[in-house]
């Protein structure tokens, strides 16, 4: 069988398997003590006070949007260059999306354009912003906070691509993506291509106990058993209350056992991603045709994706695939999806994101990518351009 190199993939070690199987042999397999430990360890890693684990990143976005109060008539700003879930979560709550074009350098949302949109929002319909740490490039949440405070917005950071990323703030302090220093809530995904996987899974991080408690309740049907939070009289040991309409977005303890084990090598894996990125950056530095992300000094990039922007993208994609290299495109701008077009968005609305989409390609990037595999990818890209 032909050896295939994918753009991203999970790494499962013997320790990971042992960690999962020990939970499978225990009494408790759904959300229980291991989930609590994973939440605690993840919060420590990210630098937030609290973390709540859920069934996937989309559920994390949905519950966060609910906890931030998104409701009918509300508008929320996000980038068109993201996975659809960053925008969909607002629609789940009856709100509307206000897309704002990207900054061509960081590929994150352009804050100058955000402010232009806010200035025009005379009815104050815009309630929040969902910035995305695209490809692992951390958004500067300190700058977003200044803007959010000026216009009375909340911030929900979609940090799915960026566990371990950080930027240096105006006081010279390292601010890790998702630590909640400047954002109200942040979310992560543990899909297999992400830095840490639980098969499917997600996490909400933040520093506000009230919002986090609400998310915990919403994760399991809006039900609580916490004696301190009951509305009616406690009727006995069995008693629980459904206090609002929630969902079943629980994660299992055996998934969290995988998360705990993966988290132990998060630093090592991040270093390996940075090593791979530096190798690509160096290898293609002489190629004017190949545009790559320039990482400024104050940015510690988490390299979920290694994106190049090139001419003849479709031909290169096919050529690499013929040679066993399965690249990917991140992303088709969300506003160009048929569903969003039906809501009124059109081609031409966000020219920078659209132009980027015409030329982008994500090359293989994952910690277990072997040196010779990366060499082969580089050789083939160079061979294509001659
Ligand atoms: C930026 C971004 N947001 C949200 C999600 C949704 O996460 P999940 O697939 O775990 O639901 C993803 C994952 O694909 C993502 O990349």
């Amino acid at each position: 069988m032909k050896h295939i190199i994918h753009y991203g993939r999970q790494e499962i070690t013997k320790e990971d398997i042992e960690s999962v199987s020990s939970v499978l042999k225990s009494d408790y397999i759904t959300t229980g003590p291991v989930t609590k430990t994973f939440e605690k360890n993840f919060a420590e890693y990210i630098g937030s006070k609290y973390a709540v684990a859920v069934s996937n990143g989309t559920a994390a976005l949905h519950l966060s949007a609910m906890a931030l109060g998104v409701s009918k008539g509300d508008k929320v700003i996000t980038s068109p260059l993201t996975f659809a879930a960053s925008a969909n979560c607002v629609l789940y709550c009856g709100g509307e999306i206000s897309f704002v074009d990207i900054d061509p350098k960081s590929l994150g949302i352009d804050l100058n354009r955000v402010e232009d949109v806010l200035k025009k929002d005379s009815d104050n319909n815009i309630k929040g912003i969902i910035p995305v740490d695209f490809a692992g490039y951390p958004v500067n949440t300190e700058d977003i906070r200044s803007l959010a405070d000026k216009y009375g917005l909340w911030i929900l950071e979609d940090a799915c691509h960026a566990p371990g990323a950080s930027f240096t703030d105006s006081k010279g302090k390292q601010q890790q993506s998702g630590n909640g220093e400047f954002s109200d809530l942040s979310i992560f995904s543990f899909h297999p291509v992400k830095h840490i996987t639980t098969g499917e899974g997600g996490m909400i991080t933040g520093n506000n106990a009230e919002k986090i408690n609400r998310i915990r309740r919403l994760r399991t049907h809006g039900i609580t058993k916490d004696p301190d939070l009951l509305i009616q009289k406690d009727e006995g040991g069995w008693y629980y209350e459904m206090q609002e309409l929630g969902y079943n977005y629980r994660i299992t303890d055996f998934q969290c056992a995988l998360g705990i084990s993966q988290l132990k090598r998060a630093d090592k894996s991040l270093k390996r991603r940075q090593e791979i990125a530096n190798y690509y950056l160096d290898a293609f530095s002489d190629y004017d045709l190949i545009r790559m992300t320039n990482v400024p000094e104050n940015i510690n990039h988490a390299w979920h994706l290694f994106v190049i922007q090139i001419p003849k993208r479709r031909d290169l994609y096919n050529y690499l695939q013929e040679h066993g290299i399965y690249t990917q495109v991140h992303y088709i701008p969300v506003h160009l999806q048929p569903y969003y077009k039906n809501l009124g968005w059109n081609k031409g609305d966000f020219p920078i994101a659209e132009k980027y989409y015409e030329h982008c390609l994500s090359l293989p990037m994952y910690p277990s990518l072997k040196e010779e595999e990366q060499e082969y990818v580089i050789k083939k890209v160079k061979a294509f351009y001659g």
Side-chain angles (χ1 to χ4, degrees), residues 72-305:
K72 203 165 185 304
D74 290 352
K75 282 193 172 179
V76 175
I77 290 175
T78 197
S79 167
L81 182 60
T82 183
F83 183 59
S86 318
N88 293 349
C89 64
V90 172
L91 307 194
Y92 296 160
C93 300
E96 288 169 41
I97 284 293
S98 176
F99 290 113
V100 174
D101 213 344
I102 57 166
D103 160 37
K105 288 203 179 101
S106 69
L107 306 174
I109 202 160
D110 182 334
L111 286 193
N112 292 323
R113 288 171 199 273
V114 169
E115 179 140 34
D116 290 344
V117 169
L118 289 168
K119 277 183 190 155
K120 287 184 199 138
D121 180 39
S122 50
D123 295 335
N124 293 332
N125 288 326
I126 300 176
K127 306 294 183 202
I129 175 163
I130 305 179
V132 179
D133 299 311
F134 181 79
Y137 193 119
V139 288
N140 187 321
T141 43
E142 187 182 24
D143 289 348
I144 303 177
R145 183 82 262 165
S146 314
L147 202 57
D149 285 348
K150 192 166 157 192
Y151 292 90
L153 311 184
W154 48 254
I155 304 171
L156 167 55
E157 182 179 359
D158 183 336
C160 282
H161 296 185
S166 60
F167 71 92
T168 314
D169 73 9
S170 60
K171 296 192 178 78
K173 216 173 138 200
Q174 283 298 107
Q175 297 292 351
Q176 201 165 323
S177 295
N179 72 359
E181 181 74 24
F182 301 110
S183 304
D184 294 275
L185 291 169
S186 306
I187 68 101
F188 295 86
S189 161
F190 305 128
H191 179 274
V193 296
K194 300 293 194 287
H195 287 62
I196 292 158
T197 189
T198 57
E200 294 283 351
M203 192 76 85
I204 298 122
T205 57
N207 299 332
N208 179 306
E210 204 181 312
K211 286 194 176 58
I212 290 288
N213 282 337
R214 175 137 188 247
I215 287 169
R216 269 187 210 292
R217 194 171 61 200
L218 288 168
R219 170 178 69 175
T220 179
H221 309 280
I223 286 175
T224 186
K225 277 193 89 162
D226 185 339
D228 296 335
L229 301 175
L230 295 179
I231 295 169
Q232 302 179 154
K233 196 167 90 17
D234 189 345
E235 295 174 11
W238 65 88
Y239 189 70
Y240 63 84
E241 282 180 357
M242 182 187 143
Q243 301 179 333
E244 64 177 322
L245 190 61
Y247 297 85
N248 179 354
Y249 282 164
R250 293 188 302 261
I251 189 167
T252 66
D253 262 19
F254 53 92
Q255 288 174 287
C256 289
L258 180 56
I260 290 169
S261 182
Q262 295 246 322
L263 194 54
K264 285 184 189 154
R265 35 174 217 285
D267 285 337
K268 197 172 139 217
S269 302
L270 180 59
K271 267 209 188 96
R272 178 69 190 127
R273 282 178 185 272
Q274 290 169 336
E275 206 175 86
I276 293 169
N278 287 334
Y279 202 74
Y280 277 136
L281 286 166
D282 194 44
F284 298 131
S285 62
D286 295 340
Y287 281 66
D288 290 342
L289 282 177
I290 302 176
R291 194 166 154 198
M292 298 177 286
T293 302
N294 181 30
V295 186
E297 282 260 300
N298 67 331
I299 293 294
N300 177 33
H301 198 302
W303 297 111
H304 164 53
L305 303 171

Side-chain angles (χ1 to χ4, degrees), residues 28-36 39 53 219 250-253:
Y28 219 96
I29 59 169
T30 187
T31 315
V34 183
T35 302
K36 267 208 177 106
E39 290 173 343
R219 170 178 69 175
R250 293 188 302 261
I251 189 167
T252 66
D253 262 19

